[in-house]
Every structure is written in C-alpha cells, then in structure tokens.
Amino acid sequence: MHRRVITFSRNVFLPLTTVCTNACSYCCFKTPVREGCVMTPATARLTIEAGVKAGCTEALFTFGERPGEVSGFSDHLAALGYGDILDYCYDLCEYAISAGILPHTNAGVLTYGELDRLKEVNASMGLMLETTADVPAHRNSPGKDPAVRIAMMEDAGKLRIPFTTGLLIGIGETPADREESLQVIAGLHRRYGHIQEVIIQNFCPKEGTEMGGAATVPTAEFAETITLAREILPSDVAVQIPPNLADAAALIRCGVDDLGGVSPLTIDYVNPEHPWPQIEELKGLVGDAWLRERLCIYPEFIRKGWYPKGLAALIRRLQKQIEERSL
C-alpha cells in the first residue's frame, strides 16, 4: 500500500510592517502608523540569522498592502534609508540569501514590474485570493478586489513564479463562492502551471475586530471545502491547511497534502493567538502518513528551473540539508 506523504516547510516569519491600506473586518494584523511600525534592518537580520541557526530554510517576508499610501508611513521608512518598502524587502531578501536561507515574499497586490523585480531574489512568492465573492468583510479593502488579485496571480504565471495562493473561508462567502474560487485558481494553473499550493484557511475571530463575535467555520464544513479543493485542483497542486488554526489530525484524511510553513522561532503574526505546533507534534498530526520537509520552492519547480540562477547553489545545499535531516 502506498504511504501518503504530508509536507511542510521550516520557516522564519518577518513582518516588515503591519501598516496597510486595507481594513478587513476580521484582521488584527493591521496597526496604525506609529513609532516602531517598521521592522528595523538590525532586527530583520538578527531574525534571519537566528532562523538559519535554527535550521530554517525559508524566510517569509510579509507586510501590509501598499503601506506607502498610508499618511506618515514614508517618514518612518525614510528614517531607515528607504523610499519604498519594496526596495527594503529586496535588500533583505538579498541578505537572507547571503545568510543561507531562501526568501518567499507575500507583499499583497503587486504590479507586473514589481513582481518581475522581486522574482530576482525570491524562490517563490504568494498572494491569498481569499474569495472571488464581494463580501462585506472587504468593503474597506480596495486591495481585496477579486479581479485585482486574480490579475496579479495571472502576472505571476506569465513570469513563471512558483506561487502560493488560497481561500479564507468563513468571511461571508457561500459554498458556491468557494467552488468558484477554486475553479478560478485551477484555471490559472492549467494555463500557466505556476501554482504550487492552495491554502484552505479557516477564519478565526479576533477580539477587538468588527468580526470578533462571528463564529468560525464548523469542522465538517472545513472538511468539505478541503475535499472540494482536492477534487477541483489539478493533482500537481498541493492542498495546504495551517496546523495551528484547526484540528489538523481530523482534516488530514480529507485530501491535505501540506501543512505549510511552521516556525521553530517566530510566531504566526497574523494569528498570534494560535501558536505553531512544533515539528515533533506535526509527526503526531499526520498519523500513518510520512511527514517530509520541503523547501519553499517545490521539487517540480526546481526541476523545471523556475528560480533565479543565483539561487541554484543555495537550493542544492538546502535540499541536501533537509534530506540529511530526514534520514
């Protein structure tokens, strides 16, 4: 009998800023412009170095969408010597590479040119679609316009960027909306072949937010969405769930292939109330399946050469590192 394989990535999470132009009804990540609203280069470098020492292979760079459009933010960034958050991210990606860890950037909606530039220093990139539906939770979030996000995902495909996307379920969408969202993602992958994984993430209410009193998705409904994702998505696209937000052990059998990035060092800044399970705990969650570590760029994209040539030696070294760990 073939033994199932469930994968994960060992990462370190770097939220470069929590300033954001969107105002989603469920989000506790966003903060106003204030002192310390940008992670300093010193802190970022120390975090990267600590991640390398902890055996992490992925540096996850993320930040609020278009923070430069928020009044006063540019002054804080200028104090660090930068005029654009993307320039800052680019430089830190270069530092991560020099330190021995692969960058993966999720910076919200980007233009074709911005994607093309960041592609030079990233092994993979991502953007959550969340939903194709027009939901009240996004009424104050121009960056959550589904058409805008789908267009960026299409640009990533044209640029051959190994890409992560996903659904956020329980924010006002219907089961039909979820099916439509998955069909859109599947269609993009069939056209461009660039979707590595699709995260099926459950909404978790956050105290103090507009949706703080809303109920999360029942486990049975979550399971149905995972099963639907596995049925709709092409077989070479992994279905991922976040193991810190749901009963992963109960959901694995529904068609889960991957448990995402798990950090031995940093918290989940988007869901800080939910700590990561550690690696040994993951082994218990997958049951009889084989838990296997991976890089943030999946093996098939490495084989196709969909990465900056300057990352070739580092990818080979980190592949060897995780192979030795699995022995």
Side-chain angles (χ1 to χ4, degrees), residues 33-320:
V33 174
R34 61 190 181 193
E35 193 66 33
C37 65
V38 185
M39 180 181 281
T40 66
T43 299
R45 289 169 184 157
L46 285 172
T47 304
I48 289 166
E49 291 161 8
V52 172
K53 288 178 183 176
C56 299
T57 60
E58 172 188 355
L60 170 59
F61 292 100
T62 189
F63 39 94
E65 197 159 287
R66 297 290 173 192
E69 296 179 8
V70 179
S71 178
F73 175 79
S74 295
D75 293 338
H76 291 271
L77 194 60
L80 301 179
Y82 290 89
D84 189 311
I85 189 71
L86 297 182
D87 292 339
Y88 185 36
C89 182
Y90 188 100
D91 283 359
L92 288 174
C93 286
E94 285 194 315
Y95 184 80
I97 294 165
S98 69
I101 191 168
L102 293 170
H104 170 96
T105 296
N106 187 330
V109 174
L110 299 173
T111 66
Y112 183 95
E114 289 165 342
L115 277 169
D116 194 26
R117 182 174 181 235
L118 283 175
K119 173 188 175 183
E120 299 171 4
V121 289
N122 277 272
S124 56
M125 296 181 70
L127 177 77
M128 289 288 282
L129 172 59
E130 295 195 9
T131 181
T132 53
D134 181 11
V135 293
H138 289 160
R139 64 181 177 273
N140 296 315
S141 301
K144 294 298 175 74
D145 179 342
V148 172
R149 296 176 92 77
I150 292 166
M152 175 181 151
M153 291 162 59
E154 187 164 19
D155 284 343
K158 294 174 183 176
L159 288 165
R160 295 189 173 186
I161 297 172
F163 208 76
T164 295
T165 189
L167 275 56
L168 181 58
I169 61 173
I171 57 171
E173 82 293 346
T174 66
D177 293 330
R178 295 170 196 163
E179 181 173 354
E180 179 185 66
S181 300
L182 290 166
Q183 292 287 6
V184 166
I185 294 169
L188 285 169
H189 182 70
R190 290 191 181 99
R191 194 178 314 163
Y192 299 106
H194 67 306
I195 307 293
Q196 304 193 112
E197 56 193 8
V198 172
I199 306 166
I200 308 299
Q201 182 172 326
N202 53 317
F203 152 74
C204 294
K206 305 287 191 295
E207 188 176 345
T209 65
E210 192 175 333
M211 291 180 66
T216 191
V217 177
T219 299
E221 195 173 333
F222 196 180
E224 289 170 5
T225 308
I226 294 167
T227 301
L228 182 67
R230 190 60 286 163
E231 290 171 355
I232 290 175
L233 296 170
S235 60
D236 58 338
V237 176
V239 174
Q240 179 188 124
I241 61 168
N244 61 323
L245 303 185
D247 184 0
L251 297 169
I252 290 286
R253 65 179 180 271
C254 300
V256 173
D257 305 296
D258 186 81
L259 296 175
V262 176
S263 182
L265 184 69
T266 52
I267 66 168
D268 179 351
Y269 289 93
V270 177
N271 298 281
E273 73 279 16
H274 294 284
W276 297 116
Q278 292 307 297
I279 309 304
E280 287 304 313
E281 293 178 70
L282 292 182
K283 293 177 182 177
L285 292 178
V286 303
D288 295 333
W290 177 26
L291 182 68
R292 186 171 68 197
E293 189 175 351
R294 61 164 175 81
L295 300 181
C296 62
I297 175 172
Y298 276 52
E300 52 266 42
F301 293 95
I302 296 174
R303 287 192 292 270
K304 291 194 291 187
W306 282 26
Y307 55 84
K309 297 311 174 191
L311 292 185
L314 179 57
I315 287 172
R316 285 194 299 269
R317 178 155 60 85
L318 293 178
Q319 273 187 305
K320 184 177 180 182

